[in-house]
């Protein structure tokens, strides 16, 4: 029921320079996105970004881009349709020995080369379009999805809140930036507590 830092990845959706000025409470939302990115880096949580049609809407802010391992340029509203889920799954190890010569039904599936991180913490814009469609398709792909509500926005509060209602009904967990911070940490004894706490004071 609590976020596990070892199982988490962070996805930051479309905080683009030409999009943000039209967003509801954009300054607060962008501040929280920066906090999430910095916390994730401190706690060694992989961070991924997306940008919707960046030629028209511009890039994400430099601080968010720099925190991301990679940023997906997309035209679909759902980042999953443009390959995000492939980034979130560890690459499979090639089968060894004579496995390829065995009939398919006798072959063992290849083991992932890295541990699975199936919990996706996601935040971004617009909540009722790109964020919603990405999160719903990640749920369909059997990821556990946690939506950081105070780091999400739309042009209107009504659209944002409708997205949260729909996401909760589909099985996403709704959390805040501080919930993520303290659940990733779990204890004030964590040596990184002071640095993370400093980001949310």
């Amino acid at each position: 029921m609590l976020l596990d830092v070892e199982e988490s990845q962070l996805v930051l959706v479309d905080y683009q320079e030409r999009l943000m000025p039209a967003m509801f409470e954009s300054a607060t939302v962008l501040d929280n996105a920066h906090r999430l990115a910095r916390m994730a880096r401190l706690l060694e949580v992989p961070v991924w970004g997306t940008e919707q049609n960046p030629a028209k809407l511009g890039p994400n802010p430099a601080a968010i881009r720099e925190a991301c391992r990679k940023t997906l340029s997309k035209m679909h509203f759902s980042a999953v349709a443009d390959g995000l889920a492939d980034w979130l799954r560890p690459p499979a190890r090639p089968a060894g020995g004579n496995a390829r010569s065995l009939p398919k039904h006798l072959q063992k599936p290849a083991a992932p080369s890295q541990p699975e991180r199936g919990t996706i913490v996601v935040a971004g814009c617009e909540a009722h379009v790109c964020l919603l469609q990405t999160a719903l398709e990640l749920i369909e792909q059997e990821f556990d999805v946690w939506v950081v509500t105070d780091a999400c926005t739309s042009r209107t509060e009504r659209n944002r809140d409708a997205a949260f209602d729909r996401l909760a009904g589909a099985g996403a967990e709704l959390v805040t930036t501080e919930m993520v911070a303290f659940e990733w940490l779990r204890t004030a004894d964590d040596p990184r507590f002071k640095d993370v706490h400093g980001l949310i004071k």
Side-chain angles (χ1 to χ4, degrees):
M1 296 299 291
L2 296 175
L3 279 169
D4 186 328
V5 71
E6 301 294 331
E7 294 176 4
S8 296
Q9 299 184 72
L10 176 64
V11 175
L12 300 173
V13 177
D14 304 356
Y15 291 98
Q16 291 161 261
E17 59 186 22
R18 291 184 206 147
L19 189 62
M20 291 310 294
M23 297 294 109
F24 176 70
E25 295 182 340
S26 63
T28 300
V29 165
L30 203 49
D31 284 347
N32 285 328
H34 285 128
R35 283 187 188 95
L36 285 167
R38 290 165 67 194
M39 287 187 310
R41 292 294 294 271
L42 282 169
L43 298 171
E44 299 179 15
V45 172
V47 184
W48 311 93
T50 73
E51 292 171 347
Q52 176 69 26
N53 191 6
K56 297 275 186 187
L57 297 174
N60 288 334
I64 286 180
R65 279 190 132 255
E66 287 161 13
C68 295
R69 289 186 175 189
K70 288 200 281 189
T71 297
L72 178 69
S73 176
K74 64 188 180 68
M75 292 302 289
H76 288 90
F77 301 125
S78 166
V80 174
D82 281 326
L84 178 65
D86 296 331
W87 289 11
L88 300 176
R89 287 198 173 93
R93 283 195 189 119
N98 297 324
R100 277 177 282 219
S101 61
L102 291 172
K104 278 245 189 256
H105 69 281
L106 294 177
Q107 291 181 22
K108 291 182 182 174
S113 60
Q114 302 165 21
E116 185 82 33
R117 284 179 175 259
T119 299
I120 310 304
V121 178
V122 62
C125 308
E126 284 195 64
H128 68 295
V129 185
C130 294
L131 177 90
L132 174 79
Q133 292 187 32
T134 298
L136 290 176
E137 291 207 330
L138 287 171
I139 291 168
E140 277 187 0
Q141 296 267 335
E142 300 185 349
F143 289 99
D144 292 325
V145 174
W146 298 61
V147 177
V148 189
T149 57
D150 61 352
C152 297
T153 191
S154 295
R155 282 162 296 156
T156 68
E157 189 176 7
R158 180 173 292 178
N159 275 326
R160 183 202 64 186
D161 292 349
F164 295 157
D165 288 344
R166 191 162 165 204
L167 286 160
E173 295 284 347
L174 303 186
V175 292
T176 65
T177 301
E178 288 199 19
M179 287 174 164
V180 173
F182 289 109
E183 289 180 35
W184 274 350
L185 283 167
R186 295 290 178 93
T187 174
D189 288 332
D190 189 299
R192 302 160 298 186
F193 172 79
K194 189 174 178 182
D195 291 335
V196 172
H197 189 255
L199 294 174
I200 57 176
K201 279 201 303 196

